[in-house]
C-alpha cells in the first residue's frame, strides 16, 4: 500500500446523513486511498428521504478556503457539487485554475434534490459554455442534461460538439437502456454498460460516482478508465443495501 496518497478536494454541500455531499465524497476518497479534503458550499437540513432547508456558504469564505488549501497542498483533482449560481461556480473555477492549472476538475451539476428541492436555476445559460471550458468532466443525469442543454436528448445527442467539456451522462434515467452511462468525448461516444442486474436507488449516488471518478483521476487513470472504474465502484454501492443509504467498499 502506497504511503504517498494524492490530495483530492470536494467542494460541495454538507448532508448530515452522510449519504450525499462532502461526507459521501470523503468516504469515497478514503476507500480509493487518496487523501480527501472538503470545503462546504452549503449547510443543509435533510434525511435520505426528505430535503428541508439549505444555507449557502458565503462565496468569499469558500474562495479563501480554496486559496489556503492550494497554497499548502498539491491537490491533484477537485470534485464540485451543489452551487447556487454559475457566477459562484465560475469564481471557484477561476481561483483553482489560477493556483493550479493542471488540477483536474469534475462537476456534478446537482440542480435539484431527489425530493425536487431546486438548488440552481439556469437563468444565466449564456455563460454556461465559458464556465464549462474550465472543467474536465461533468456528470449530469438525463433531467439535468436537458436543463443544461435543452434539446440534447431529443436530438439524439447530436449537439455533442457544442459542449466544451467531456460529459458522462448517467444512465439511471435512461428511458431505453437503464443503467447504461454514456461518456461523450470530443470525437467519440463510449457506452458504459451495467454489470450488475440488481441495484437499488441510493440517496447521493451521483455524489459517490463523481467523487470516485475524481479519485481515479488523482491516481493517474485516464478519463475513460477513471469513469469505468467509478462505474464498478458505484454499482457495488448501489447493490450494497436495499434502502437509500449505501455502504462503501474498497474497490
Amino acid at each position: 500500500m502506497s504511503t504517498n496518497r494524492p490530495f483530492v478536494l470536494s467542494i460541495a454541500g454538507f448532508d448530515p446523513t452522510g449519504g450525499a455531499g462532502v461526507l459521501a465524497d470523503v468516504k469515497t476518497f478514503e476507500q480509493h486511498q487518496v487523501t480527501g479534503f472538503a470545503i462546504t458550499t452549503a449547510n443543509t437540513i435533510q434525511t435520505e428521504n426528505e430535503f428541508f432547508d439549505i444555507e449557502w456558504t458565503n462565496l468569499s469564505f469558500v474562495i479563501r478556503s480554496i486559496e489556503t488549501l492550494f497554497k499548502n497542498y498539491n491537490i491533484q483533482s477537485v470534485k464540485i457539487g451543489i452551487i447556487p449560481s454559475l457566477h459562484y461556480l465560475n469564481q471557484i473555477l477561476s481561483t483553482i485554475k489560477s493556483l493550479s492549472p493542471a488540477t483536474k476538475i469534475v462537476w456534478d451539476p446537482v440542480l435539484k434534490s431527489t425530493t425536487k428541492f431546486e438548488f440552481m436555476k439556469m437563468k444565466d445559460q449564456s455563460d454556461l459554455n465559458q464556465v464549462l471550458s474550465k472543467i474536465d468532466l461533468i456528470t449530469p443525469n438525463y433531467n439535468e442534461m436537458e436543463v443544461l442543454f435543452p434539446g440534447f436528448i431529443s436530438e439524439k445527442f447530436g449537439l455533442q460538439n457544442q459542449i466544451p467539456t467531456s460529459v458522462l451522462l448517467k444512465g439511471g434515467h435512461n428511458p431505453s437502456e437503464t443503467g447504461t452511462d454514456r461518456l461523450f468525448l470530443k470525437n467519440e461516444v463510449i457506452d458504459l454498460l451495467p454489470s450488475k442486474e440488481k441495484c437499488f436507488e441510493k440517496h447521493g449516488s451521483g455524489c459517490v460516482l463523481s467523487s470516485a471518478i475524481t479519485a481515479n483521476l488523482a491516481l493517474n487513470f485516464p478519463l475513460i478508465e477513471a469513469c469505468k472504474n467509478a462505474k464498478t465502484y458505484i454499482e457495488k454501492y448501489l447493490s450494497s443495501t436495499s434502502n437509500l443509504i449505501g455502504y462503501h467498499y474498497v474497490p
Side-chain angles (χ1 to χ4, degrees):
M1 182 174 64
S2 173
T3 56
N4 297 314
R5 296 185 176 190
F7 296 110
V8 182
L9 172 62
S10 168
I11 304 175
F14 180 86
D15 167 16
T17 73
V22 294
L23 288 180
D25 294 343
V26 172
K27 290 178 187 178
T28 305
F29 293 157
E30 186 64 23
Q31 296 293 5
H32 284 81
Q33 298 187 27
V34 299
T35 300
F37 296 152
I39 295 171
T40 56
T41 56
N43 200 10
T44 71
I45 301 174
Q46 63 178 302
T47 68
E48 73 273 24
N49 295 298
E50 192 169 358
F51 196 99
F52 298 96
D53 205 358
I54 187 167
E55 289 187 356
W56 295 104
T57 306
N58 186 281
L59 177 58
S60 64
F61 192 90
V62 173
I63 298 301
R64 285 167 51 206
S65 299
I66 294 169
E67 291 171 342
T68 299
L69 289 180
F70 271 87
K71 288 175 182 177
N72 286 277
Y73 304 95
N74 180 21
I75 296 174
Q76 298 296 310
S77 58
V78 176
K79 174 264 172 85
I80 300 174
I82 58 169
I83 42 88
S85 68
L86 282 180
H87 170 74
Y88 195 105
L89 175 60
N90 191 44
Q91 292 301 304
I92 289 172
L93 295 171
S94 296
T95 301
I96 294 170
K97 287 301 183 183
S98 67
L99 295 167
S100 180
T103 294
K104 301 291 185 183
I105 300 175
V106 176
W107 178 37
D108 183 28
V110 183
L111 307 182
K112 289 184 179 180
S113 71
T114 53
T115 54
K116 310 305 181 188
F117 187 100
E118 190 168 30
F119 298 123
M120 173 184 166
K121 290 184 171 65
M122 289 303 300
K123 57 187 177 183
D124 43 5
Q125 182 145 9
S126 60
D127 297 328
L128 180 61
N129 281 359
Q130 178 186 358
V131 171
L132 292 183
S133 66
K134 303 174 185 178
I135 297 173
D136 295 280
L137 177 73
I138 61 173
T139 60
N141 59 33
Y142 271 62
N143 297 331
E144 291 159 348
M145 194 65 187
E146 194 60 34
V147 173
L148 292 170
F149 292 95
F152 183 87
I153 307 299
S154 60
E155 292 288 336
K156 300 188 183 301
F157 319 123
L159 304 176
Q160 173 189 354
N161 293 329
Q162 298 181 23
I163 302 175
T165 187
S166 298
V167 178
L168 181 66
L169 182 59
K170 294 178 291 194
H173 298 102
N174 186 329
S176 58
E177 302 167 277
T178 302
T180 296
D181 302 337
R182 286 197 166 89
L183 178 61
F184 294 88
L185 305 173
K186 187 173 182 180
N187 296 312
E188 63 179 323
V189 180
I190 299 170
D191 284 355
L192 305 181
L193 303 177
S195 61
K196 287 186 176 290
E197 292 183 5
K198 197 166 187 179
C199 289
F200 303 94
E201 183 179 350
K202 289 286 179 290
H203 169 60
S205 57
C207 301
V208 174
L209 176 64
S210 57
S211 56
I213 295 170
T214 306
N216 274 276
L217 291 173
L219 293 167
N220 291 320
F221 285 98
L223 180 59
I224 296 173
E225 293 304 312
C227 290
K228 289 180 178 178
N229 292 344
K231 186 168 183 65
T232 299
Y233 185 86
I234 191 63
E235 286 186 337
K236 289 182 180 179
Y237 182 75
L238 293 173
S239 61
S240 64
T241 67
S242 60
N243 56 40
L244 289 174
I245 298 277
Y247 301 146
H248 292 259
Y249 296 97
V250 175

